[in-house]
Amino acid sequence: MEIVITVVAVLAATTILYKVLPHRNLGQEKPIFALFPKYKNEVPKPKSDYRVEEVMSSLGFEKKKDQGGSIKYSRGSIAGDISIELMKINVTFSPRSNGNLPYTVEAAWVVAFDTGDHWDFTKQLGDKIENA
């Protein structure tokens, strides 16, 4: 019974820690290893919001929420896999800032560590939106 309680406590603490830690700036270099990967980035605002929606749907994302100018997209399943292609990912676009479109990328539940897949995805997403 103590093992179960310990496992639940560790999972709860890890989840809370992941949720409260701030997003990291994407940066120029892909990390070899990152703890609790959550990234933020900015790209030039596309001419139309439809372009962003088009890019997100081409990547398998569905629009989930539109709150106060922030738009949240999600894809995958929590019970999926640890790979970036199958895990549940949330992308949130914030209101424009000086002609730029800020966005964040994070796991829907928790990711304790990463070998650069989240960074790659965040970078590729920014490139696709920028070229849309």
Side-chain angles (χ1 to χ4, degrees):
M1 185 65 161
E2 290 176 14
I3 293 173
V4 172
I5 292 171
T6 302
V7 168
V8 169
V10 167
L11 282 174
T14 303
T15 301
I16 291 168
L17 185 60
Y18 183 75
K19 295 297 180 185
V20 299
L21 285 174
H23 291 85
R24 297 181 188 137
N25 287 320
L26 185 62
Q28 296 298 317
E29 287 190 34
K30 176 181 172 179
I32 296 170
F33 183 83
L35 290 174
F36 302 111
K38 292 168 48 171
Y39 294 102
K40 64 182 175 181
N41 195 22
E42 279 188 9
V43 293
K45 175 77 173 144
K47 294 175 186 169
S48 165
D49 289 339
Y50 178 71
R51 296 282 187 205
V52 173
E53 216 165 300
E54 197 174 57
V55 168
M56 295 308 288
S57 66
S58 75
L59 295 171
F61 283 85
E62 293 179 13
K63 192 176 194 178
K64 294 295 181 186
K65 293 181 186 174
D66 193 343
Q67 295 176 302
S70 291
I71 301 169
K72 184 176 183 177
Y73 290 87
S74 185
R75 79 160 186 209
S77 168
I78 289 178
D81 195 343
I82 60 171
S83 73
I84 193 79
E85 290 86 18
L86 299 175
M87 74 182 313
K88 188 159 180 89
I89 298 288
N90 293 330
V91 176
T92 305
F93 293 94
S94 299
R96 282 181 239 177
S97 160
N98 298 328
N100 288 330
L101 179 64
Y103 67 96
T104 60
V105 176
E106 65 182 4
W109 184 45
V110 68
V111 173
F113 67 91
D114 178 48
T115 58
D117 291 343
H118 281 79
W119 186 93
D120 273 340
F121 175 76
T122 306
K123 175 81 170 114
Q124 289 171 8
L125 176 60
D127 293 345
K128 285 182 187 241
I129 291 172
E130 203 169 335
N131 295 322

